Amino acid sequence: MPMPSLRLVFASLGLIALAACGGRTAVAPSYQQEMFSTGASPFAHNFDATVNETCEAARRALLSQGFLTTMSQLDTVDATKNFQPSAETHVVVSFHVVCTPGENATNQSIAYVNAVQDGYALKKSDTSASVGLSVLGSLSLPIRSNSDAMVKISSETVPAGKFYDRFFHLMGHYLNTVPRSAPVAADDVKSQPLAPSLILNSPELTPTPIVVQTPAAATAIHASDAAAAGASEPAAAAAASAPRTSETQ
């Protein structure tokens, strides 16, 4: 083959290699997709309810779907649910709900929801060993054992979409159906002074005070009255028995 032809072949191969290398685009990390925009968040929703009522609705919504919930604080709800897609795979969905006051802290709140999906796979590992028996010669018997274990293979936040929309809709259902307290606004509370007391200026209408006597004082009064009555009776009897003198004409 002539030399120019060989040079052309090598040049073509070099161009092909450069094109192949240049065609590979670097994959951007996942965190580069976070925009941190100030617009409406798909992971948050506003409710016309207090913080405690909103978190209670979230707890009821998760319980109704088979989640195991834990509520360590009144403004936080954690829940988990297990799934078994196949015999060798296992999935755990973890929910985390945080309730904060809204623009009007009296009867508005915001629910922030985050769900994480963890994937597990069954890992099989075989171990073997051999035993030599000197009596029978150099005979080796293989001994095999299996040790299976679930290994975590993935962990991902559930992306925004219909998943969270369905959850927020179910929360709103429980807020509308479950009885809850309605706070009274400060502007609706009205106070009115009481009517002045009646002043009785007429002497005829002036009430007579009532003297309340204790049992000891009442007993002493009765004893003094009885003693006075006993002393007057002998004097009256003596006056009646005295002779009367006739008047001289």
Side-chain angles (χ1 to χ4, degrees):
M1 180 180 291
M3 292 298 295
S5 299
L6 291 176
R7 292 178 180 177
L8 182 60
V9 171
F10 287 125
S12 301
L13 293 175
L15 292 175
I16 294 174
L18 290 175
C21 294
R24 296 178 182 177
T25 58
V27 179
S30 299
Y31 62 84
Q32 295 292 348
Q33 302 176 5
E34 299 293 337
M35 302 303 296
F36 293 102
S37 61
T38 58
S41 173
F43 300 94
H45 194 80
N46 296 322
F47 292 98
D48 293 332
T50 62
V51 172
N52 295 345
E53 292 170 347
T54 300
C55 268
E56 177 62 20
R59 187 180 72 90
R60 291 172 181 262
L62 292 170
L63 287 174
S64 67
Q65 302 303 310
F67 281 83
L68 179 63
T69 63
T70 57
M71 196 171 183
S72 57
Q73 299 178 359
L74 295 178
D75 59 349
T76 304
V77 181
D78 293 323
T80 57
K81 187 176 182 179
N82 300 324
F83 299 89
Q84 191 79 21
S86 63
E88 297 184 356
T89 58
H90 182 73
V91 176
V92 178
V93 176
S94 302
F95 248 89
H96 185 66
V97 183
V98 177
C99 305
T100 61
E103 295 181 359
N104 185 357
T106 304
N107 55 1
Q108 288 185 354
S109 59
I110 304 175
Y112 297 92
V113 183
N114 172 266
V116 178
Q117 176 178 290
D118 297 330
Y120 298 85
L122 183 63
K123 182 180 180 181
K124 298 181 179 181
S125 59
D126 297 337
T127 58
S128 60
S130 59
V131 177
L133 300 177
S134 59
V135 178
L136 301 178
S138 59
L139 179 62
S140 298
L141 299 176
I143 300 176
R144 304 179 64 87
S145 62
N146 298 329
S147 58
D148 300 341
M150 298 297 295
V151 180
K152 188 175 182 179
I153 59 174
S154 64
S155 181
E156 181 184 8
T157 299
V158 178
K162 298 296 183 181
F163 179 81
Y164 295 102
D165 293 340
R166 292 193 299 268
F167 176 70
F168 290 138
H169 178 74
L170 187 58
M171 284 183 59
H173 166 73
Y174 279 100
L175 281 175
N176 294 329
T177 56
V178 176
R180 52 195 177 98
S181 60
V184 179
D187 298 337
D188 297 338
V189 178
K190 298 180 180 180
S191 60
Q192 184 176 0
L194 297 176
S197 59
L198 298 177
I199 302 176
L200 302 178
N201 297 324
S202 176
E204 291 80 4
L205 299 179
T206 303
T208 303
I210 300 175
V211 179
V212 179
Q213 298 178 353
T214 60
T219 303
I221 293 174
H222 289 306
S224 61
D225 293 342
S232 61
E233 288 179 358
S241 61
R244 295 182 179 179
T245 58
S246 60
E247 296 179 356
T248 58
Q249 299 294 332

